[in-house]
Amino acid sequence: MRRFVYASTCSVYGAQGGEALVDEDAALKPVTPYAESKVRVEDDLWALAGDGFSPTSLRNATAFGFSPRRAPTSC
């Protein structure tokens, strides 16, 4: 398999604070076990990257739906 797309989450950025925009170069600050597990998998995938394997992580936000108990790291 030469290419691999991993469904990660924008929760890996955690609570950045302030009003500044967050992009893919922002520091990863996961605050939940879910976000921490996504960071660990991304790290493992990048460790495997090379000429024969090219991983990509998509850090999507919540796609739909209102939650009265919004997560502290909702994007």
Side-chain angles (χ1 to χ4, degrees), residues 8-74:
S8 189
T9 175
C10 65
S11 293
V12 298
Y13 298 114
Q16 296 285 325
E19 296 294 322
L21 295 176
V22 176
D23 65 14
E24 62 271 9
D25 295 321
L28 303 182
K29 300 178 182 178
V31 296
T32 64
Y34 171 74
E36 179 64 35
S37 70
K38 293 291 192 173
V39 170
R40 289 182 183 191
V41 171
E42 285 187 26
D43 288 344
D44 289 345
L45 286 171
W46 280 110
L48 296 171
D51 291 337
F53 181 65
S54 179
T56 298
S57 293
L58 301 179
R59 295 175 177 164
N60 298 317
T62 302
F64 63 91
F66 171 78
S67 173
R69 299 182 317 152
R70 186 174 165 161
T73 60
S74 293

